[in-house]
Amino acid sequence: AQSVTQLDSQVPVFEEAPVELRCNYSSSVSVYLFWYVQYPNQGLQLLLKYLSGSTLVESINGFEAEFNKSQTSFHLRKPSVHISDTAEYFCAVTGGGSYIPTFGRGTSLIVHP
Amino acid sequence: KAGVTQTPRYLIKTRGQQVTLSCSPISGHRSVSWYQQTPGQGLQFLFEYFSETQRNKGNFPGRFSGRQFSNSRSEMNVSTLELGDSALYLCASSRGRGDSPLHFGNGTRLTVT
């Protein structure tokens, strides 16, 4: 069975600073990778996904993630964060015979002014 | 395109009662999944329905059940409520493939007193 590890439960950062949220998964077989964001009192929203092709994927609001097969990682980065990026971020993986995503425990990104 | 709709948004129930939650998926999505979200346990998968059939089930007791109708709308039922059932219940719809991202509703906040 797949497992997903988000190494940091909470990441505090100042506005306009860069940030990296880490995600590692267990299986080395063909996988699909997702990052979701959850704002307070809302459900999760898809931020970006890796299905195939270029290992660097980008979202419309400046986030990017790089698929690293050898390190089984899919870290999320943003070069300059805004207060509005404060939210919970979840990494998820499907594949390896399963189409039900396995979610990480989430990372709370807290952006301070 | 209308998003995933969950009703009601908030519920307060007494221990021992039962509750039914409703989810209307995105048009064209045949897969509906249910998740329980709590601060201590994170996101936990309850079950997934695809074309009116339960296709996958998580590790929850039989008090948790669900069904899906021919129009893909889904309901989740919890009988004999316990205090520990207090949580945010999230419904997500998708095309039901490994490369299909989930589209979440805003959830139903259930409080058991």
Side-chain angles (χ1 to χ4, degrees):
Chain A
Q2 279 277 6
S3 69
V4 177
T5 303
Q6 291 184 244
L7 294 162
D8 305 298
S9 59
Q10 203 172 81
V11 173
V13 64
F14 287 107
E15 195 174 18
E16 298 183 6
V19 71
E20 178 180 80
L21 307 184
R22 296 177 291 172
C23 172
N24 288 87
Y25 59 96
S26 59
S27 175
S28 60
V29 298
S30 181
V31 295
Y32 304 112
L33 298 154
F34 306 86
W35 275 99
Y36 291 86
V37 59
Q38 184 178 31
Y39 299 103
N41 297 317
Q42 294 186 24
L44 282 71
Q45 304 172 32
L46 178 69
L47 189 59
L48 46 75
K49 62 186 177 185
Y50 171 78
L51 303 181
S52 65
S54 172
T55 58
L56 186 66
V57 290
E58 299 176 354
S59 71
I60 58 173
N61 57 353
F63 283 94
E64 63 179 31
E66 185 158 20
F67 169 57
N68 189 319
K69 186 175 180 179
S70 62
Q71 296 187 11
T72 58
S73 68
F74 191 54
H75 301 332
L76 182 69
R77 302 183 184 96
K78 189 170 185 180
S80 176
V81 295
H82 302 290
I83 296 285
S84 59
D85 293 324
T86 294
E88 191 84 13
Y89 291 80
F90 293 90
C91 180
V93 179
T94 59
S98 172
Y99 45 80
I100 298 296
T102 300
F103 283 88
R105 293 295 299 266
T107 297
S108 177
L109 175 62
I110 303 168
V111 181
H112 297 287
Chain B
K1 203 174 190 182
V4 177
T5 303
Q6 289 189 248
T7 56
R9 282 298 310 272
Y10 302 94
L11 265 178
I12 300 175
K13 291 286 187 178
T14 303
R15 194 170 45 183
Q17 288 186 314
Q18 75 164 15
V19 66
T20 299
L21 313 181
S22 181
C23 173
S24 293
I26 288 174
S27 178
H29 285 183
R30 295 162 65 189
S31 170
V32 174
S33 300
W34 289 90
Y35 290 83
Q36 182 194 67
Q37 186 177 29
T38 58
Q41 298 296 320
L43 268 172
Q44 294 196 87
F45 171 71
L46 282 153
F47 30 66
E48 184 233 6
Y49 285 84
F50 186 88
S51 294
E52 301 180 66
T53 301
Q54 187 181 88
R55 197 165 63 162
N56 287 279
K57 189 176 187 305
N59 190 26
F60 276 80
R63 300 186 296 107
F64 292 82
S65 63
R67 58 178 177 169
Q68 187 180 31
F69 302 95
S70 58
N71 61 359
S72 291
R73 192 176 70 83
S74 178
E75 287 182 348
M76 189 192 100
N77 185 76
V78 188
S79 62
T80 320
L81 283 166
E82 300 177 359
L83 296 178
D85 297 333
S86 294
L88 181 66
Y89 290 89
L90 293 166
C91 163
S93 75
S94 79
R95 298 192 185 282
R97 302 192 311 255
D99 61 352
S100 305
L102 299 183
H103 298 261
F104 286 83
N106 284 328
T108 294
R109 173 77 61 186
L110 173 65
T111 303
V112 182
T113 62

